[in-house]
Amino acid sequence: MSRRTIWITVVAVAVLAVLGAGFWVGYQQAAEDDHGTNVVNHVGAEPEQGPRRGEPVPPRPSAAARPQPETVARQWLAGQHTLYAHDPRPDAWIARVENLATDQMRAGLAQFRDGNGGVVWENFQRQRCTRTVRDLHAEQAPGAPSTEDSRWLLVQGVAVTACELNPDTPPFPAETLVTATLELTREPSGEWLVNARTEAG
């Protein structure tokens, strides 16, 4: 091979090297630019196209709606009449409904504290009983006033007592209808809470 041929070959290889390096730099720069607009959901997932600069950002999903008055009323009645043998005291139900009550109602619950339950509570624990409420239903109380921020609801359910020992003679009736008329008021936060109560059953 002549010196002229060798020189042409060396020049050609150098030119190809320069072109290859330029292509690689451009490719890397394009990849970095694209990376700025990609969002990866998790490791190994295909990237999603995120909003480019200047495009509007989609709104975040709205917070879940707060429970409606009927839901709160049902939760209250269930909490009031639910009792377990492992509860430390027969007034343990108060702790189950306090978070559903206004300050005024929580103050009124104080009268139910510190009751010893007497023989009924002793038998309830000895027989390892459970009292729960099923078939809960809440509706507007007949003839009761209703405003945007105050609702009077009639709520009812069936309290069921079941015991491990002597199941045929529970300390409470095996099944009994429980009802209450509750005033629910809407707090400034939008949360509905029980503010007053009258009951029967």
Side-chain angles (χ1 to χ4, degrees):
M1 181 181 297
S2 66
R3 290 185 179 181
R4 178 180 177 82
T5 302
I6 294 174
W7 175 249
I8 293 174
T9 302
V10 170
V11 171
V13 170
V15 170
L16 289 175
V18 171
L19 291 175
F23 174 82
W24 177 251
V25 171
Y27 176 83
Q28 288 290 90
Q29 182 63 44
E32 291 176 2
D33 291 343
D34 288 342
H35 181 71
T37 60
N38 288 341
V39 178
V40 178
N41 285 330
H42 54 83
V43 175
E46 290 295 328
E48 295 180 357
Q49 290 296 325
R52 296 182 180 276
R53 184 176 300 176
E55 291 183 353
V57 178
R60 294 179 179 272
S62 59
R66 297 184 181 276
Q68 294 300 302
E70 292 81 2
T71 301
V72 177
R74 291 193 296 267
Q75 291 173 342
W76 174 281
L77 192 70
Q80 180 185 353
H81 291 281
T82 296
L83 198 59
Y84 302 101
H86 58 72
D87 284 336
R89 301 178 57 84
D91 60 6
W93 64 269
I94 296 176
R96 298 186 180 107
V97 301
E98 278 185 317
N99 65 320
L100 303 173
T102 62
D103 291 341
Q104 173 181 305
M105 190 64 197
R106 279 197 293 269
L109 291 173
Q111 63 181 304
F112 300 106
R113 294 187 185 278
D114 301 325
N116 58 27
V119 176
V120 173
W121 173 242
E122 292 175 3
N123 290 338
F124 191 90
Q125 290 188 304
R126 180 177 57 80
Q127 294 177 237
R128 298 199 290 272
C129 301
T130 298
R131 192 171 196 237
T132 56
V133 184
R134 61 173 173 78
D135 300 336
L136 287 158
H137 176 72
E139 61 184 15
Q140 182 70 25
S146 178
T147 67
E148 185 178 344
D149 296 319
S150 175
R151 296 276 306 278
W152 281 91
L153 298 177
L154 174 64
V155 56
Q156 63 183 20
V158 177
V160 179
T161 302
C163 304
E164 293 183 22
L165 302 179
N166 302 325
D168 296 333
T169 57
F172 293 110
E175 292 191 8
T176 185
L177 180 68
V178 289
T179 66
T181 301
L182 305 174
E183 181 202 16
L184 289 99
T185 55
R186 179 154 45 191
E187 299 294 292
S189 64
E191 184 178 21
W192 287 93
L193 297 175
V194 175
N195 189 58
R197 176 193 66 170
T198 61
E199 67 178 88

